[in-house]
Amino acid sequence: MSNASLSPLPSADRPDVTARLRDALLGASFTADGLLELLGAPAYAALSRSETVPALRATRGDTPLERLVRLFLLQQPVPYARVADVLPVGDCLESGWLVRAGDDEVAATVDVRPYGGPGGEDWFIVSDLGCAVGGAGGIGNRAEGVVLGVGGASMTLAGLTVRTPVSAALDLGTGSGIQALHASRHATRVTATDVNPRALHITALTLALSGAPAADLREGSLYEPVDDGDTYDLIVSNPPFVISPGARLTYRDGGMGGDDLCRSLVQQTGERLNEGGFAHFLANWQHGEGEDWTDRLRSWVPRGCDAWIVQREVQDVTQYAELWLRDAGDHRADVAEYQARYDAWLDEFEARKVKAVGFGWISLRRSGSAEPSITVEEWPHPIEQPLGETVRAHFDRVDYLRAHDDAALLEAHFTLAGEVVQEQVGLPGAEDPEHVVLRQNRGMRRATRVDTVGAGFAGVCDGSMSAGRILDAIAQLVGEDPVALRDRTPAQIRLLVEQGFLEPA
């Protein structure tokens, strides 16, 4: 399917109309909170899954908000006169936000979705029609240059990004502009790139309709449109990371072989980051036969950067192919065509000796250290979003541990992190537990096994005594040689600090 099936976009050069449209939407409570109150939690959640029937049932009335939901979210024609009561309909028709539908109705040309910013802002994400109303069968619009709205991946990336004030931020592959919108809150200057000119146009609409500052929009792939020598304090990207045969859908297929697009993106980032700057990416990576996937990802990390790479999910090649075939609605096409596409995916994986595909995130921090820290781990368990502060704290702990050898750790003071609980595991009635687990209820929500010394140590860390003095007291209590205890415990302390259970006082 070609771009011919996509609707013409509203003008991005009419800030006066956009401002009046924004005021009208806010005046009708067309906001994230307003939608939740109108639709109720089940219908609101169903919309995020692209299921519209519950919302259609909840908007059978004729209030201004119900009309706007049907118009912009459910993409139903609405009588002209009923829209004119709510919106500056003449301006919206002239600038392309609306079009005539039949004799006395109007229809939206784009999806406009209320989105609550982290500071309580009322934002709006603009995207192409059909992308959010496809139902369980996948997206409704499979045009090559289609621009999607907010999805789970977009939310994940926005949540894990470190949000400190910066001078310059770069959003690579901006899509509908959600990452650029978030960056506009804490970056003096935002640059957004995309290979799809339609995405840049929609990003401009998203920013303007949300009342955010305009971004520097540049067309091109990855770092191509960025000027030589330009560097940034923050780089984010939700790239077209899907490992697929060919590049049929611009929003998801990178067009490079295997996971080369993600690898290239990460490897080229080092020279674009300022000292102390952060980069955050979502990515897919191959699990090849006879290859350790962690080694593969370590080889991607650019020089001078610390890295934290988390694999959130792994799918075998059949599951992976089926996921993305359904995403595009291919399973609803002709059976022979679907089978041919499925076959092509498996041929691609077989040729590359790929047995599975991993999905997760990659965070880089430019440190310039001669001994960079690269943490690659698998964590498929629930986490607490937003995670940006947890990511920043991870790299702070990396710096701390790099600067403190074992002797320095024993002289240091620590406190137990907030909301850490202890669990004892063992047979019922046993006098002593088989093992002790410390569990976090915030951030990554980690759990780690410790011995009785480690549990006792963590339990009394309130910042008042040095680690060494605490160990001496424990040695006296358990009748152990204090020197031996001091020798063997720093590794456990280091692990507890690294994973965020203990914090330097």
Side-chain angles (χ1 to χ4, degrees), residues 15-38:
D16 55 330
V17 174
T18 306
R20 286 196 289 274
L21 175 57
R22 172 176 170 78
D23 288 343
L25 296 177
L26 294 177
S29 297
F30 188 66
T31 63
D33 288 342
L35 283 186
L36 182 58
E37 184 176 348
L38 170 68

Side-chain angles (χ1 to χ4, degrees), residues 117-466:
E121 301 89 350
D122 288 315
W123 288 339
F124 300 97
I125 307 299
V126 180
S127 63
D128 270 315
L129 294 175
C131 297
V133 294
I139 65 169
N141 192 331
R142 292 184 290 157
E144 179 186 344
V146 68
V147 179
L148 304 189
V150 178
S154 301
M155 300 283 284
T156 296
L157 180 60
L160 67 89
T161 300
V162 174
R163 301 295 177 190
T164 53
V166 296
S167 296
L170 174 63
D171 176 15
L172 291 171
T174 187
S176 59
I178 180 175
Q179 308 306 329
L181 186 56
H182 274 277
S184 71
R185 294 186 70 247
H186 62 103
T188 304
R189 176 171 57 89
V190 177
T191 301
T193 74
D194 205 290
V195 71
N196 183 3
R198 189 175 182 87
L200 297 176
H201 190 129
I202 284 180
T203 291
L205 297 175
T206 289
L207 294 172
L209 194 59
S210 297
D216 179 4
L217 304 176
R218 303 186 184 187
E219 183 181 344
S221 177
L222 302 182
Y223 288 105
E224 286 175 4
V226 178
D227 294 338
D228 290 343
D230 280 1
T231 56
Y232 301 87
D233 308 298
L234 174 67
I235 298 174
V236 294
S237 184
N238 178 17
F241 52 66
V242 176
I243 301 172
S244 61
R248 186 163 59 105
L249 297 174
T250 305
Y251 74 87
R252 71 168 201 193
D253 302 323
M256 297 186 187
D259 53 17
D260 283 355
L261 183 137
C262 291
R263 176 185 56 78
S264 297
L265 175 61
V266 175
Q267 288 181 337
Q268 293 172 23
T269 296
E271 62 193 40
R272 296 293 185 175
L273 267 184
N274 291 327
E275 192 73 16
F278 287 93
H280 307 279
F281 309 107
L282 299 186
N284 280 184
W285 43 77
Q286 298 173 172
H287 285 229
E289 294 178 8
E291 177 187 47
D292 187 327
W293 66 272
T294 64
D295 291 340
R296 182 181 193 84
L297 289 172
R298 287 175 185 278
S299 72
W300 291 9
V301 178
R303 278 186 172 184
C305 289
D306 297 323
W308 184 20
I309 302 172
V310 180
Q311 180 168 272
R312 296 287 289 155
E313 185 178 2
V314 182
Q315 292 185 326
D316 67 47
V317 293
T318 60
Q319 292 174 309
Y320 188 80
E322 290 162 14
L323 168 68
W324 294 109
L325 288 167
R326 287 182 175 275
D327 168 79
D330 288 325
H331 63 301
R332 296 182 301 188
D334 176 75
V335 173
E337 181 181 345
Y338 172 77
Q339 291 178 340
R341 290 193 188 280
Y342 198 153
D343 227 13
W345 283 69
L346 297 186
D347 284 344
E348 177 83 1
F349 288 131
E350 186 176 328
R352 294 182 173 276
K353 297 183 178 180
V354 176
K355 60 183 180 179
V357 177
F359 171 84
W361 69 68
I362 298 173
S363 289
L364 305 177
R365 195 272 309 263
R366 185 157 188 87
S367 67
S369 172
E371 299 180 5
S373 166
I374 302 177
T375 301
V376 184
E377 61 177 317
E378 186 166 17
W379 190 253
H381 311 293
I383 61 172
E384 180 192 42
Q385 283 276 34
L387 206 65
E389 182 58 26
T390 299
V391 174
R392 186 199 59 76
H394 167 87
F395 288 102
D396 285 349
R397 294 193 299 270
V398 164
D399 286 341
Y400 179 86
L401 292 173
R402 192 154 43 203
H404 289 73
D405 60 15
D406 287 355
L409 281 183
L410 292 175
E411 294 298 320
H413 295 237
F414 299 97
T415 58
L416 185 66
E419 297 195 41
V420 173
V421 297
Q422 176 179 305
E423 299 173 358
Q424 297 188 163
V425 181
L427 293 173
E431 185 175 342
D432 296 314
E434 292 180 17
H435 59 264
V436 178
V437 174
L438 298 183
R439 187 178 301 277
Q440 301 168 347
N441 287 316
R442 303 297 304 274
M444 291 292 286
R445 293 176 173 164
R446 295 188 185 278
T448 189
R449 287 177 61 168
V450 292
D451 60 20
T452 53
V453 170
F457 178 88
V460 298
C461 278
D462 60 4
S464 62
M465 296 173 59
S466 70

Side-chain angles (χ1 to χ4, degrees), residues 462-482:
D462 60 4
S464 62
M465 296 173 59
S466 70
R469 288 187 60 194
I470 293 174
L471 290 179
D472 290 344
I474 291 174
Q476 187 173 4
L477 282 173
V478 300
E480 188 169 339
D481 179 9

